[in-house]
């Protein structure tokens, strides 16, 4: 009976933990086998809680194993950043330890039973105290779900917030061992545990606030980037318009000269005059993109003009300009893609950029290729900024990934034959989100 009860309680604990993680982060895949894989990882976590507690008389061992297993489950199955998954894997186990100690302590005080009676022996007191502790755990996790937020942390903030709950778990188990050996210390252990619980609550609040502050900073940087993009696009469009006006004005003069030469029947002079005009036009010619998508045309013409002024040859193939993306996101997406491409291509001898926007089945396929002087992914796989002021730079690739993720797309970076390649697939319809998520899973694993 004792063993059966312990197995049931451990299984209930795993169910509460996984329910919290899944509700907080959400599944990253819609494949049918996700529930089977969840049960698989749940059973591993169940074994990690049960077996070490039998072989080794230290709950902290099974807790640390559970943290590792839960983190692997989150990485494979759930949404969110790695830092967020690591923090939640530790935080939920801290909630388990806090709920267990507070629940057993409170029940012990009301029932008059001491720690050894509640833990060391199988009795009605232990059954009631354990159920009360699990009810507290459910309550704690529901409060955390109501206050959930998306993680947006720097490495230093993450390390601080990660290790405080981890050390709290170890401290709680050490205090509970003291209470188990000396019942006179139970009251002191209870109050210390309550202080640790309060500290972990404050850590979670700090986690939310730091994430919110960092998100505000990134939103500000994104708005500034959008503003700069629109301003530069407007400036370049005005420049192109002025050039077109100049060409239109000069065209009248050229036609007048040709008309005068024709009236005098000077055919050779006309031919030479036209030849000179063509040669002059070839020297000053630049690529103009017209797709029918005004925002896309503006940003492409702006960046292509900048690239050609710097001696970069651009190749464009666009058969599907109507993208399922907002105008501001089009500006940011292609602005960053082409800025990065120009910055890399200008350092090479060939200096080429290839742009493709085509339809592939039910997806919009965007591909930007540029020549590179040396491998980028080999020494910078995360594509972090190399600029000194990292607080003002480094949002380019991050914003590209954010926009692609917003529209449930897939992005891949590759290098081949001296070229850096960015491939993007974005579903043309919202009902393709599930298919895209499945495709992303297949590409990743």
């Amino acid at each position: 009976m004792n063993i059966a009860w312990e197995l049931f309680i451990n299984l209930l604990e795993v169910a509460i933990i996984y329910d919290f993680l899944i509700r907080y982060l959400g599944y990253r895949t819609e494949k049918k086998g996700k529930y089977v894989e969840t049960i698989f990882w749940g059973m591993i976590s169940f074994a990690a809680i049960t077996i070490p507690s039998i072989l080794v008389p230290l709950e902290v061992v099974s807790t640390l194993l559970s943290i590792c297993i839960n983190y692997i489950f989150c990485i494979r199955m759930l949404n969110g950043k790695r830092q967020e998954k690591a923090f939640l894997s530790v935080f939920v186990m801290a909630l388990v330890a806090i709920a267990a100690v507070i629940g057993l302590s409170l029940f012990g005080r009301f029932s008059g039973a001491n720690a050894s009676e509640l833990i060391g022996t199988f009795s009605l007191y232990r059954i009631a105290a354990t159920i009360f502790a699990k009810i507290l755990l459910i309550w704690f996790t529901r409060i955390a779900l109501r206050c959930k937020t998306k993680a947006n942390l720097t490495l230093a903030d993450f390390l601080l917030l990660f290790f405080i709950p981890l050390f709290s778990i170890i401290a709680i188990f050490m205090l509970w061992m003291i209470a188990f050996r000396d019942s006179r210390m139970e009251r002191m252990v209870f109050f210390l545990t309550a202080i640790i619980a309060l500290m972990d609550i404050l850590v979670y609040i700090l986690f939310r606030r730091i994430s919110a502050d960092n998100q505000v900073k990134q939103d500000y940087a994104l708005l500034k980037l959008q503003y700069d993009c629109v301003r530069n696009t407007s400036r370049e469009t005005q420049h192109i318009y002025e050039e077109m006006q100049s060409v239109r004005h000069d065209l009248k003069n050229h036609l007048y000269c040709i008309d005068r030469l024709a009236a005098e029947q000077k055919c050779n002079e006309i031919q030479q005059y036209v030849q000179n005009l063509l040669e002059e036009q070839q020297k000053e010619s630049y690529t103009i993109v017209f797709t029918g998508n005004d925002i896309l045309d503006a940003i492409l013409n702006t960046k292509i003009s900048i690239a050609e002024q710097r001696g970069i040859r651009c190749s464009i193939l666009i058969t599907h300009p109507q993208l399922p993306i907002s105008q501001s996101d089009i500006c940011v997406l292609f602005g960053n893609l082409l800025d990065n491409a120009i910055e890399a291509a200008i350092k090479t001898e060939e200096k080429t950029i290839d742009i493709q926007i085509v339809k592939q089945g039910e997806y919009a396929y965007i591909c930007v290729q540029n020549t590179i002087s040396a491998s980028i992914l080999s020494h910078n796989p995360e594509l972090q900024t190399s600029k000194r002021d990292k607080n003002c730079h480094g949002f380019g690739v991050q914003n590209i990934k954010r926009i692609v993720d917003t529209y449930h797309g897939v992005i891949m970076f590759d290098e081949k034959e001296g070229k850096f390649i960015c491939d993007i697939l974005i579903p043309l319809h919202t009902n393709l989100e599930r298919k895209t998520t499945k495709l992303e899973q297949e590409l990743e694993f």
Side-chain angles (χ1 to χ4, degrees):
M1 182 66 180
N2 186 10
I3 296 177
W5 173 253
E6 294 299 328
L7 294 177
F8 169 75
I9 288 299
N10 290 343
L11 189 61
L12 177 61
E13 180 179 305
V14 171
I16 296 172
I17 292 171
Y18 275 58
D19 177 72
F20 169 74
L21 293 174
I22 293 170
R23 287 176 181 268
Y24 199 106
L25 297 172
Y27 279 112
R28 65 183 298 179
T29 177
E30 294 296 332
K31 60 183 181 181
K32 297 180 180 179
K34 65 180 181 180
Y35 298 113
V36 176
E37 188 169 352
T38 300
I39 295 174
F40 169 76
W41 286 105
M43 290 296 100
I44 294 179
S45 183
F46 171 74
I49 294 175
T50 305
I51 297 176
S53 61
I54 297 174
L55 300 178
V56 183
L58 286 176
E59 291 288 338
V60 69
V61 175
S62 60
T63 300
L64 294 177
L65 283 175
S66 297
I67 290 174
C68 296
I69 293 171
N70 295 341
Y71 177 67
I72 296 173
F73 165 73
C74 291
I75 290 294
R76 287 191 56 86
M77 300 290 295
L78 305 182
N79 294 314
K81 299 180 180 179
R82 292 178 181 271
Q83 294 178 351
E84 185 178 22
K85 295 173 181 178
F87 173 79
L88 290 176
S89 298
V90 175
F91 179 74
V92 70
M93 295 309 297
L95 292 181
V96 171
I98 292 170
V101 174
I102 292 179
L104 294 177
S105 298
L106 286 175
F107 192 86
R109 288 182 62 82
F110 288 121
S111 64
N114 56 38
S116 59
E117 292 175 344
L118 293 175
I119 296 180
T121 59
F122 180 72
S123 62
L124 292 177
Y125 284 129
R126 174 168 173 75
I127 294 175
T130 307
I131 292 176
F132 180 64
K134 300 311 172 188
I135 292 174
L136 278 180
L137 177 60
I138 295 174
W139 185 58
F140 289 160
T141 56
R142 289 304 178 271
I143 293 176
L145 286 173
R146 285 181 175 270
C147 305
K148 72 177 181 178
T149 184
K150 291 185 178 180
N152 197 352
L153 305 172
T154 63
L155 180 59
D157 293 335
F158 164 71
L159 292 176
L160 174 64
L161 298 176
F162 176 82
F163 283 108
I164 290 179
L166 183 62
F167 292 150
S168 298
I169 294 173
I170 298 173
I172 288 173
F173 282 120
M174 293 178 66
L175 289 172
W176 192 246
M177 290 177 63
I178 293 174
F180 183 75
R181 294 177 181 178
D182 188 354
S183 59
R184 295 174 300 179
M185 298 295 295
E186 287 185 15
R187 179 176 297 181
M188 180 64 68
V189 169
F190 172 76
F191 285 115
L192 290 176
T193 303
I195 293 173
I196 293 175
L198 179 61
M199 181 180 66
D200 284 337
I201 292 173
L202 294 176
V203 166
Y204 183 72
I205 295 174
L206 184 63
F207 164 75
R208 294 181 61 217
R209 290 196 173 185
I210 292 176
S211 296
D213 290 342
N214 288 341
Q215 186 62 47
V216 169
K217 291 179 182 178
Q218 288 195 8
D219 289 343
Y220 171 77
L222 176 59
L223 288 173
K224 185 177 182 300
L225 180 65
Q226 291 176 344
Y227 170 75
D228 292 340
C229 180
V230 172
R231 183 186 60 182
N232 294 334
T233 300
S234 176
R235 185 181 302 168
E236 186 64 26
T237 302
Q238 180 65 26
H239 176 69
I240 293 175
Y241 174 77
E242 291 174 355
E243 286 188 351
M244 294 296 293
Q245 288 291 97
S246 176
V247 169
R248 182 179 179 182
H249 180 269
D250 293 340
L251 182 60
K252 293 181 181 179
N253 296 328
H254 294 316
L255 291 175
Y256 178 76
C257 292
I258 293 174
D259 181 65
R260 294 294 299 175
L261 293 172
E264 298 175 4
Q265 296 184 352
K266 296 180 178 180
C267 297
N268 293 332
E269 286 79 354
I270 293 175
Q271 186 177 7
Q272 184 62 38
Y273 189 84
V274 172
Q275 185 66 30
N276 293 337
L277 287 177
L278 291 175
E279 291 177 358
E280 183 178 348
Q281 183 63 28
Q282 287 178 355
K283 292 178 181 179
E284 298 180 357
S285 65
Y286 50 86
T287 304
I288 296 179
V289 177
F290 179 77
T291 65
N293 186 327
D294 295 338
I295 296 297
L296 182 61
D297 291 344
I299 189 65
L300 289 179
N301 284 319
T302 298
K303 299 303 179 182
I304 291 172
S305 176
I306 294 173
E308 292 184 340
Q309 289 174 9
R310 299 182 181 182
I312 301 174
R313 181 178 58 82
C314 297
S315 173
I316 302 99
L317 174 61
I318 301 176
T319 60
H320 191 80
Q322 302 306 321
L323 301 173
I325 306 175
S326 68
Q327 293 184 348
S328 60
D329 285 340
I330 287 177
C331 182
V332 174
L333 177 63
F334 286 94
N336 281 287
L337 285 172
L338 295 177
D339 281 343
N340 294 339
I342 292 171
E343 185 178 350
I346 199 172
K347 301 175 184 178
T348 65
E349 294 182 0
E350 295 185 4
K351 293 183 175 61
T352 61
I353 295 177
D354 300 326
I355 305 168
Q356 291 186 45
I357 305 175
V358 298
K359 183 180 178 182
Q360 286 192 356
E362 298 174 316
Y363 297 87
Y365 172 65
I366 302 169
C367 178
V368 177
Q369 302 183 27
N370 59 269
T371 52
I372 51 177
S373 57
S375 175
I376 298 174
L377 295 177
S378 60
H379 65 275
N380 187 12
E382 298 297 326
L383 298 177
Q384 299 291 333
T385 180
S386 58
K387 299 176 181 177
R388 292 184 179 180
D389 190 358
K390 297 185 183 296
N391 291 326
C392 297
H393 299 96
F395 293 101
V397 175
Q398 185 176 349
N399 284 329
I400 293 172
K401 292 180 178 179
R402 179 191 61 80
I403 291 173
V404 173
D405 184 64
T406 299
Y407 296 94
H408 307 280
V410 179
I411 184 170
M412 293 183 63
F413 299 104
D414 195 12
E415 293 176 352
K416 187 177 181 181
E417 298 178 355
K419 288 188 176 183
F420 183 86
I421 305 171
C422 176
D423 290 322
I424 298 174
L425 280 174
I426 296 179
L428 297 174
H429 308 287
T430 55
N431 60 357
L432 295 176
E433 294 175 8
R434 295 183 176 181
K435 294 182 180 179
T436 308
T437 306
K438 182 178 180 181
L439 175 62
E440 184 179 10
Q441 290 287 321
E442 292 174 352
L443 292 173
E444 184 172 353
F445 297 107

